[in-house]
Amino acid sequence: MKRLLVFLFIAVLALAGCVQTKTEVEGSKDSKEKGKKTIEVLGMAASEEDMNIVRDQLVKNGFDVKLNIQPDYGSFSAQKDAGNYDLALSSWTTVTGNPDYAVRGLFKTGGDYSIVSDSKLDALIEEASTLSGDEATAKYKELEQHLVFDQAYIAPLYISNKYQGIYSELVNPKTVHLPKSRAQVWENIEFIDSSKNATEPLILHQTINSLTSLDPIKGNDGSINTLNTNMYVRLVNLTDTDEVVSDGSLSYNHASAEGNQEYYFILRDDLNFAAVKDGAAVDTGELVSAEDVVFSLNRAKNPKSVPDHRTYSLHENIETVEIVSDLAELQKKKVAGSDQSVLDALSQNLPASVTQLAKDKGTVNNAAGAYQVVKITTPTPFPQVLNYLAHQSGGIVSEKQVTSINTYDVASYNPDKDIAYGDQATVTEGTATYNNHLYASGPYILIKKNDYEAQFVKNPAYRVGSEYEPKIAKINVRFIADNDSALSALRNGEIHVLQSVPETKLDIVKSDTKLTLNTADSNAVSYLQMNTSGRTVSDSVDLRKAILYSINQNEFISYYQGNKKPSVSTVSPLINTGLKLEADSKKVKEYLKAYND
């Protein structure tokens, strides 16, 4: 899901009868004269249990509460954009495995999802991003102290775990990954009966059927994160435990040069772009090249490269992207923290020794020792740039194809008239612009979609003959908005993997002999976002702190039968700063008194 949406919500359609209108919650703008302060809590029907717990905790501490419950993410966003809330029940998943992503887009002034403007917080975010180890931990502790305890911009609720259900009568559960951060890995999955891999579709699931964009830089939310991750290869990947590796990427190897401002990647030549012709995937014969990498990452970091660019801030620390032509540069440069040359680091386990750097994709021949190398430079030391390159927005697109489609003027783009690369209408059956123009550099390509499902097939020119060649030829992603219905579909074998099993339904999966439950840590944090504009809570830090210390995380953990963990901020799953939020009714009274005086 700058940015994975985020706020990464499971957009689950729920009972429309739960919706309250703006008129019905207008009373939330009450003033001190009424004695009790009325707090309006905004959220989605899918999170109604959490909203009820928040309401009860606030009421217990002397507040009146109005719940503004919306049926889906679109209506929630509309209410949030209109400012119709004091507290918004929010969630964030750090899909890059690094702490900078957990704060930059959410809390930095001008961030993609930020409603906070605080120069001290901005400085802490920037400084923390350049540090590692104990120094980073200390700085993120200072950041959390300011964000949560000094200014109470958010009130943390809990960290979630990951629970995945597998229809193991058909699918081999050992081949289904459950990474902490990275989206679901499709190419490894196999049926128990391997003869079915070539003929039977693997049926996966997601809640949202309206896709933001199949251009990897134009969306960062739950509708496209997994889809684009599996359609576009990246320079690096994350392991299941958030280690940055070259495995399964466009690079054989990567290296950070001394000073941590220059990053080198030696590229493979066994990946071509796939296209769709007559409803089937075809090998275009076009190498996924260094030229495409330069094009893709330059547009990724440029906020004006496409209209409604959602991910540019993830890549704003990239200064330059270039193709290296001088082999001597790699020989002279040393790897950060080592006496090893960058060339030696890049040369591990290659098909042949590096004898020359190819000047263009037409002269690439790895078997003969001719490779392309890309160098990325950052303006300051920034090792976390590698995590951002592993994000779906770092996916490599075809320069030739994208420039042939995006012929409109970005400044005057009209979505009713102009067709942009990756528009979902171009792959949606029955639409006027249905004409699949996608070029996929990753293991799968989307053939077509409708309101029921999206159909993918393997890229016929992706790592053929290697362990990373996709095992299953066809994958259908079924759209089921209601998670209970999705769980029923899993139990009936109508879908084969349910990526998110509700904590309250784990026993159902455990007791079903046809199913296997996978469990993993996650980087998903739920919290209350305080409105920073136009409400009393926006102007009073005392009122915000009174709300903060009303929150008892143990009650959430108890409700979820111990399947949640305490948090302080969105950084909590990544770095343990040692800070802790304790509910404190005495502090609530003190801050409410200060607010009322």
Side-chain angles (χ1 to χ4, degrees):
M1 284 123 106
K2 205 184 186 155
R3 311 182 224 273
L4 174 308
L5 195 193
V6 247
F7 299 97
L8 233 214
F9 292 94
I10 301 175
V12 180
L13 295 175
L15 298 176
C18 294
V19 178
Q20 290 180 293
T21 66
K22 180 180 178 183
T23 302
E24 290 171 323
V25 298
E26 201 67 47
S28 66
K29 297 182 181 180
D30 65 341
S31 62
K32 301 175 188 177
E33 292 83 44
K34 294 184 180 179
K36 287 185 176 182
K37 174 62 186 172
T38 301
I39 299 296
E40 181 181 357
V41 181
L42 172 65
M44 291 188 296
S47 301
E48 189 171 0
E49 294 89 348
D50 286 353
M51 295 179 72
N52 288 336
I53 296 173
V54 169
R55 177 197 59 203
D56 293 346
Q57 291 179 355
L58 291 174
V59 169
K60 178 181 177 181
N61 282 278
F63 293 93
D64 282 336
V65 178
K66 297 283 187 179
L67 297 184
N68 185 354
I69 306 175
Q70 296 299 315
D72 53 37
Y73 182 69
S75 53
F76 167 88
S77 295
Q79 287 287 298
K80 190 169 186 294
D81 291 344
N84 295 330
Y85 70 101
D86 294 301
L87 309 175
L89 187 61
S90 306
S91 65
W92 177 266
T93 300
T94 300
V95 297
T96 56
N98 64 309
D100 186 67
Y101 182 79
V103 294
R104 181 173 294 271
L106 290 178
F107 307 121
K108 189 172 183 292
T109 303
D112 288 354
Y113 299 99
S114 177
I115 59 171
V116 177
S117 181
D118 184 318
S119 59
K120 180 176 180 179
L121 189 57
D122 292 347
L124 289 168
I125 290 171
E126 290 299 342
E127 187 174 356
S129 73
T130 67
L131 303 174
S132 58
D134 292 342
E135 288 182 319
T137 299
K139 190 57 62 175
Y140 280 109
K141 179 177 182 178
E142 188 179 346
L143 189 157
E144 279 192 333
Q145 178 66 40
H146 185 75
L147 173 72
V148 180
F149 299 102
D150 294 346
Q151 293 299 319
Y153 291 127
I154 66 170
L157 302 182
Y158 54 77
I159 301 170
S160 295
N161 294 321
K162 278 190 168 185
Y163 300 101
Q164 176 192 68
I166 303 168
Y167 191 71
S168 48
E169 277 207 341
L170 184 64
V171 174
N172 182 352
K174 295 181 180 180
T175 66
V176 184
H177 287 228
L178 186 56
K180 187 179 182 186
S181 297
R182 182 183 173 183
Q184 191 175 56
V185 183
W186 290 357
E187 64 262 35
N188 294 328
I189 303 176
E190 292 189 75
F191 291 119
I192 292 174
D193 180 356
S194 60
S195 67
K196 295 180 181 294
N197 289 345
T199 58
E200 297 296 319
L202 174 72
I203 305 175
L204 304 177
H205 160 260
Q206 73 176 39
T207 59
I208 308 172
N209 66 0
S210 179
L211 310 182
T212 305
S213 177
L214 299 162
D215 182 340
I217 65 172
K218 287 193 66 180
N220 192 19
D221 56 70
S223 76
I224 48 75
N225 181 252
T226 296
L227 310 187
N228 284 341
T229 296
N230 286 284
M231 275 217 300
Y232 300 99
V233 73
R234 296 159 301 285
L235 284 176
V236 289
N237 276 321
L238 294 178
T239 66
D240 289 354
T241 54
D242 289 348
E243 180 187 359
V244 179
V245 295
S246 289
D247 300 343
S249 76
L250 182 59
S251 305
Y252 287 109
N253 301 297
H254 66 278
S256 304
E258 194 170 23
N260 285 317
Q261 287 183 252
E262 297 171 309
Y263 303 85
Y264 293 87
F265 309 83
I266 187 164
L267 306 190
R268 317 182 64 91
D269 68 353
D270 57 353
L271 291 83
N272 288 353
F273 287 103
V276 176
K277 184 177 181 180
D278 298 327
V282 296
D283 178 0
T284 65
E286 297 176 22
L287 180 69
V288 182
S289 67
E291 290 88 341
D292 296 304
V293 172
V294 172
F295 171 77
S296 298
L297 297 183
N298 277 330
R299 72 193 293 266
K301 74 186 184 74
N302 178 6
K304 297 182 179 180
S305 63
V306 292
D308 196 23
H309 195 323
R310 301 285 182 91
T311 60
Y312 66 88
S313 56
L314 275 73
H315 306 287
E316 63 187 0
N317 284 292
I318 294 177
E319 187 168 59
T320 60
V321 188
E322 56 191 307
I323 301 173
V324 180
S325 58
D326 184 5
L327 194 58
E329 176 180 343
L330 306 183
Q331 294 168 328
K332 293 176 183 177
K333 295 281 183 179
K334 299 295 183 182
V335 174
S338 169
D339 289 331
Q340 185 183 36
S341 73
V342 167
L343 179 60
D344 286 343
L346 296 180
S347 297
Q348 304 300 309
N349 301 313
L350 299 180
S353 298
V354 181
T355 58
Q356 61 177 304
L357 298 183
K359 296 181 180 179
D360 56 60
K361 61 185 177 183
T363 57
V364 173
N365 186 338
N366 292 176
Y371 297 84
Q372 286 190 307
V373 171
V374 170
K375 178 172 77 170
I376 293 174
T377 306
T378 59
T380 59
F382 190 63
Q384 294 187 58
V385 70
L386 295 172
N387 295 79
Y388 288 132
L389 292 173
H391 185 256
Q392 57 95 12
S393 62
I396 308 305
V397 297
S398 164
E399 178 179 14
K400 172 184 173 182
Q401 183 68 356
V402 171
T403 54
S404 71
I405 300 297
N406 288 357
T407 57
Y408 54 83
D409 177 65
V410 173
S412 59
Y413 171 75
N414 181 351
D416 296 327
K417 175 176 64 72
D418 298 321
I419 296 175
Y421 177 82
D423 283 355
Q424 72 158 333
T426 62
V427 297
T428 303
E429 294 177 309
T431 58
T433 55
Y434 179 41
N435 181 23
N436 193 324
H437 59 222
L438 297 175
Y439 265 43
S441 60
Y444 287 90
I445 186 167
L446 176 59
I447 297 295
K448 60 183 177 181
K449 74 171 285 286
N450 51 38
D451 290 339
Y452 178 65
E453 68 181 9
Q455 298 179 12
F456 292 79
V457 297
K458 66 185 288 186
N459 177 348
Y462 185 87
R463 304 292 306 275
V464 176
S466 77
E467 63 178 303
Y468 295 99
E469 179 181 358
K471 308 300 186 296
I472 291 178
K474 295 182 286 187
I475 292 180
N476 296 345
V477 178
R478 193 73 49 82
F479 303 127
I480 305 174
D482 177 68
N483 236 24
D484 285 342
S485 298
L487 179 56
S488 295
L490 177 70
R491 299 186 71 187
N492 294 329
E494 296 168 12
I495 64 174
H496 302 145
V497 180
L498 178 59
Q499 194 68 2
S500 182
V501 177
E503 290 92 339
T504 54
K505 303 296 174 65
L506 299 181
D507 287 343
I508 294 175
V509 177
K510 291 177 181 177
S511 63
D512 193 325
T513 58
K514 301 187 299 296
L515 306 181
T516 295
L517 181 70
N518 272 354
T519 303
D521 292 334
S522 88
N523 293 331
V525 176
S526 291
Y527 60 97
L528 296 172
Q529 172 73 63
M530 311 277 185
N531 196 336
T532 57
S533 177
R535 295 284 183 127
T536 308
V537 72
S538 311
D539 302 321
S540 173
V541 68
D542 288 318
L543 182 57
R544 296 199 300 269
K545 287 182 179 180
I547 293 170
L548 173 70
Y549 286 106
S550 297
I551 300 303
N552 186 337
Q553 296 190 17
N554 290 331
E555 292 182 0
F556 289 93
I557 295 169
S558 176
Y559 174 79
Y560 287 106
Q561 302 170 21
N563 293 314
K564 301 289 188 184
K565 301 172 186 174
S567 68
V568 174
S569 77
T570 46
V571 172
S572 296
L574 303 151
I575 294 179
N576 181 7
T577 64
L579 296 175
K580 187 176 182 181
L581 174 64
E582 297 276 7
D584 192 327
S585 295
K586 183 178 179 180
K587 286 185 178 180
V588 174
K589 291 176 182 178
E590 291 173 355
Y591 285 121
L592 280 177
K593 184 178 183 301
Y595 161 70
N596 284 303
D597 287 346

